[in-house]
Structures are given as C-alpha cells and as structure tokens.
Amino acid sequence: MLTKNIHFDSKCVHSGVGEYEHGPVVPPIYQTSTFKFVNTDQGARLFKGEEDGYIYTRMRNPTIEALENAVAELEEGHKALACSSGMAAINTIFTSLLEKGNHVVCSESLYGPTRLLLETIFNKFGIETSFVNTSNLTEIEDAVKSNTKLIYIETPGNPTLAITDIEQTAKIAHSSKSLLVVDNTFMSPALQQPIKFGADVVLHSMTKFLNGHADVIAGVIVVKNEELYSIIRKTLNQTGGVIDPFNSFLVHRGLKTLSLRMQRHSQNAQVVAEFLENHSKVKWVSYPGLKSHPQYDVAQKQHYGSGGMISFELKGGIEAGKTLMNNVKLCQLAVSLGGVESLIQHPASMTHFSLGKENREKAGITDGLVRLSVGIENVNDIINDLEQSLKKISF
Ligand code: LCS
C-alpha cells in the first residue's frame, strides 16, 4: 500500500503494512527469536551486510519493522526504532548521543524517571544536566554551554502541561551545534509532529496514546536522518532494550485508531477542562486548549488539537484532591495515561514523588496538583463522575 499521499487518518490505518505470504491484511506476528540460514555462506553474508535478511530478533524482526515503519511515517521522520519501554527509548537516545564531558539542557517539568536517569545515572559517567523552564526560551539560551550536546524537551511537560516552543528551541539547538530531542508522548503524532518544527529526534512512551489500550509497555525513537539512525540502531542492538514481536503487533493494532482516539480525547478533555475551570472548588486548571494556558499561542502554532491531559488544583489543596481521587467511580485512580479509560493520579506522591519537594516546586508540580488523563468515554459520564466526587469535598 502506497501511503505517501493519503491523509493522516488513513495513514494510521495503512502505514507499515507490507506484503506477506498468503496475503494477510495485518502483519503476521513473527514470534521467533531467531531465523534459519540457508547455509553457512548465507549466514556469513547476512552478518557482513552483503545480503539483506533477518538474523536474530534483537537485531531485526518483520513484525517490529512493520510497527517502526508505521510510526516513522506518522511522525514524518526518516526511520524509527521500537524499544521495550519509553524509558528504554530515552536511555538508548542518551547512551547513543552523549559521551563523558557533555552537557544536556533539559525541561524541568518532565516525567520523574527521565530526570532521575540524567541526575543519578548519566551523571555517574561525567554527563552534566541543567534543568530549566524550557517554556522560557531565554532560560534555554542562558543554560547552553560550549559542551552542550543535547537539548531535551518534553512538551507538553508531565504533569504541568507546560509547553515549549519546538521551532524556536530547534533554532537555539542548531545554532549551538546541539541536537534537539522531543518527548512527544503527551500529544502523539496525531496532534504534534516535532520533526516538522526542526526536532532531530522524537520519542514516545508507546505505553500511552500510541498503543492506547493500557495493556503494553513500549517505547519508540524516531530520527530525522540516516546518520542518527545508524548510531542509535547500533546502540540499541548492543544494549538490548528492544520490543518483542507480540507487543509490536498490539501497538500497531492500536495505531489504526490513533487519529479517531486523539480527536475524542481532545474533545472530551476540552469540555472537562472548561467544566473544571468554571467550578467553584477549583483553584486553577492547566490545559493547552484553554485561553488561560500561559503558552496558549505556542500551543495553537504547534498542535493540531489539545490532547487528553489536564492538570488542576482544588481550592482545598491536597486534602481536597485526595477526597476527589478517592471518590471517583468511572475515572480510575492509577498512574500511566493515554488509554481509552480516564485515569486520575497525584504526581507529588506518585509519578513525581522521587524528584523531591524542592525540584517539584521549582517545576510547578505543587502538592495539590491532580493529573487527569481524559479517556474516550462519553464526556457526560466523566463530568458526572467528577461532579459527584467534588460534592464530597466540604468547604
Ligand atoms: N515519557 C513520558 C512523557 C512519560 O509520561 C513516561 C511514562 C515515559 C516517558 C516513560 O515511559 P514508560 O517507560 O513508562 O513506557 N509516564 C508515566 C506516567 O506519567 N505515569 O506512569 C508512567
């Protein structure tokens, strides 16, 4: 199927699907760790790269490649590399592109373990990171040093939904001979395509919107050129954070409804964000589709929709937040995000607990912040659920 000149909605359905024996319309699951050689000479030719073919699933597998081709196409990137988790994707990027003595400029509002990976692990190998508010371009410019190799942004940032201008950050990165890496987990390529704005590398936790059904842990890296691809592919082969064929099949299946799901997530979240913003017990709401969002104009420029993630704080602070989270019935109290079901959680004691209060507060992650991943249920049911739970808060 030629997918070059078709709409994104159609690409979600058809991308990555090749021709297979017996003509299945869905890529078969090649659930095998290894592939037979015809003879020793062929095995040697495959290893030398003189012949194209499959050797061992850590290196290449047709089911995994089908997914990688699909994601690369949806992100308008050159190629993609699927990984065993979002963290494996992030680790593979850092391991591939950084060396001792390098410096990284990183968003301060981002998924907790990404910060910890840089602060506690890469730090041991002589890599230094400055965590700054990347919504403010001057802070990025001021943080760049002569040894800066990567600017790493998560936009919108987890859990504050702070937005970084990808196009302007790419300009800063390239004028300082650095690469721009963007974690696009919160938007998915249906709502944001960072390579179009100048990003060099894009990554996702495919655990979230790309798979969309809360039943897989997976990650992906998308690169803009062959040079980056060959560096990262070599590292991934050696460090081994690869996805397996069955999970690839599941994520590829999820991608077929990505466009539909993201439209519904965005529609529902807009209504829920407006409901919360107008509610007397709510102190503030952060959602890229609200005019009150501090980077609303940047969001309008780089998003095709506002996504399914909302963060907010109740007037009664953390105690009121706990009452809300403990009394919801349709929304599930669980970490993770981006699935069809609405999930609610408390970053300060859960996903971002390990950062410590000082780092959290600097990044705008207050103790009272509640994060809601708005699912694709009927929006009235989500609002009714929040409303009945908000009624339990007495003040
Ligand atoms: N990047 C972002 C923006 C994330 O939100 C997560 C996970 C990751 C990377 C890591 O992906 P994983 O290895 O889990 O596939 N975020 C989670 C969260 O907010 N709650 O639970 C997991």
Side-chain angles (χ1 to χ4, degrees):
M1 172 81 198
L2 274 181
T3 49
K4 254 202 160 60
N5 296 315
I6 60 176
H7 190 276
F8 184 88
D9 300 349
S10 316
K11 284 188 183 182
C12 288
V13 178
H14 293 285
S15 291
V17 181
E19 297 293 330
Y20 310 94
E21 197 183 0
H22 308 304
V25 294
V26 171
I29 309 173
Y30 287 88
Q31 191 72 29
T32 182
S33 56
T34 194
F35 296 83
K36 278 193 285 188
F37 307 131
V38 176
N39 53 39
T40 51
D41 283 350
Q42 194 226 3
R45 281 198 304 278
L46 285 165
F47 269 91
K48 270 194 198 154
E50 291 170 358
E51 187 178 317
D52 191 33
Y54 298 97
I55 297 175
Y56 185 59
T57 285
R58 176 158 49 72
M59 298 153 87
R60 264 184 94 179
N61 173 291
T63 314
I64 299 174
E65 277 180 356
L67 170 66
E68 290 174 335
N69 292 340
V71 178
E73 196 160 344
L74 297 181
E75 278 289 358
E76 303 213 5
H78 171 63
K79 283 183 186 167
L81 305 96
C83 301
S84 54
S85 67
M87 290 315 300
I90 297 166
N91 182 46
T92 305
I93 292 168
F94 292 155
T95 313
S96 304
L97 302 178
L98 294 171
E99 58 187 46
K100 191 171 143 194
N102 285 167
H103 172 250
V104 180
V105 176
C106 185
S107 301
E108 62 189 0
S109 175
L110 84 170
Y111 181 51
T114 307
R115 179 172 184 143
L116 290 181
L117 179 62
L118 285 163
E119 244 174 11
T120 64
I121 299 181
F122 281 88
N123 179 49
K124 286 196 304 194
F125 300 108
I127 290 154
E128 187 208 351
T129 305
S130 305
F131 295 94
V132 301
N133 173 8
T134 52
S135 299
N136 180 348
L137 296 170
T138 316
E139 283 205 27
I140 306 179
E141 276 168 333
D142 290 349
V144 169
K145 305 189 202 182
S146 58
N147 58 341
T148 302
K149 183 71 195 293
L150 292 185
I151 299 183
Y152 183 100
I153 60 174
E154 194 180 289
T155 182
N158 185 354
T160 60
L161 283 305
I163 291 169
T164 302
D165 186 324
I166 300 172
E167 192 176 23
Q168 296 306 320
T169 309
K171 285 187 185 150
I172 299 171
H174 298 149
S175 67
S176 62
K177 300 211 164 33
S178 308
L179 295 170
L180 175 64
V181 180
V182 180
D183 184 333
N184 196 23
T185 299
F186 267 35
M187 297 313 273
S188 92
L191 305 182
Q192 176 170 271
Q193 292 170 307
I195 290 175
K196 278 194 184 160
F197 290 100
D200 300 286
V201 179
V202 173
L203 73 107
H204 290 268
S205 165
M206 295 201 291
T207 315
K208 319 297 180 204
F209 291 105
L210 292 192
N211 178 56
H213 294 77
D215 51 10
V216 167
I217 296 284
V220 71
I221 303 164
V222 186
V223 292
K224 77 157 186 209
N225 61 34
E226 185 62 25
E227 188 191 349
L228 285 166
Y229 177 75
S230 65
I231 296 169
I232 300 175
R233 176 60 75 189
K234 244 181 239 153
T235 308
L236 184 60
N237 285 349
Q238 285 160 15
T239 53
V242 291
I243 195 170
D244 75 274
F246 185 62
N247 275 347
S248 297
F249 164 82
L250 287 174
V251 177
H252 202 164
R253 182 165 74 158
L255 283 184
K256 290 177 191 290
T257 55
L258 178 69
S259 192
L260 271 178
R261 286 187 285 107
M262 294 316 294
Q263 280 170 36
R264 182 62 168 258
H265 283 296
S266 300
Q267 272 169 16
N268 281 359
Q270 184 74 36
V271 177
V272 173
E274 285 170 13
F275 159 78
L276 289 170
E277 194 167 50
N278 292 320
H279 200 284
S280 60
K281 291 181 180 167
V282 175
K283 189 167 161 193
W284 56 261
V285 182
S286 178
Y287 180 66
L290 292 178
K291 293 219 169 71
S292 57
H293 190 292
Q295 295 90 38
Y296 179 76
D297 293 341
V298 181
Q300 293 301 303
K301 179 177 80 165
Q302 67 193 29
H303 296 169
Y304 304 121
S306 303
M309 301 303 298
I310 300 175
S311 62
F312 61 98
E313 182 164 340
L314 299 178
K315 283 182 184 153
I318 179 53
E319 286 313 315
K322 278 186 190 164
T323 305
L324 171 74
M325 287 182 275
N326 286 331
N327 285 288
V328 283
K329 295 190 169 84
L330 183 82
C331 302
Q332 306 292 305
L333 177 60
V335 296
S336 200
L337 58 106
V340 290
E341 55 286 283
S342 296
L343 299 180
I344 196 160
Q345 69 112 0
H346 178 231
S349 66
M350 297 173 186
T351 49
H352 294 71
F353 169 73
S354 54
L355 294 186
K357 197 172 167 73
E358 198 184 321
N359 287 336
R360 280 198 302 274
E361 278 183 356
K362 191 166 171 284
I365 309 166
T366 57
D367 282 350
L369 186 151
V370 175
R371 191 188 75 184
L372 179 62
S373 173
V374 180
I376 65 165
E377 301 95 339
N378 185 288
V379 71
N380 293 327
D381 290 328
I382 302 171
I383 295 208
N384 289 342
D385 188 34
L386 293 170
E387 182 73 82
Q388 65 79 24
S389 195
L390 283 162
K391 282 204 178 109
K392 303 252 161 60
I393 301 162
S394 47
F395 60 81

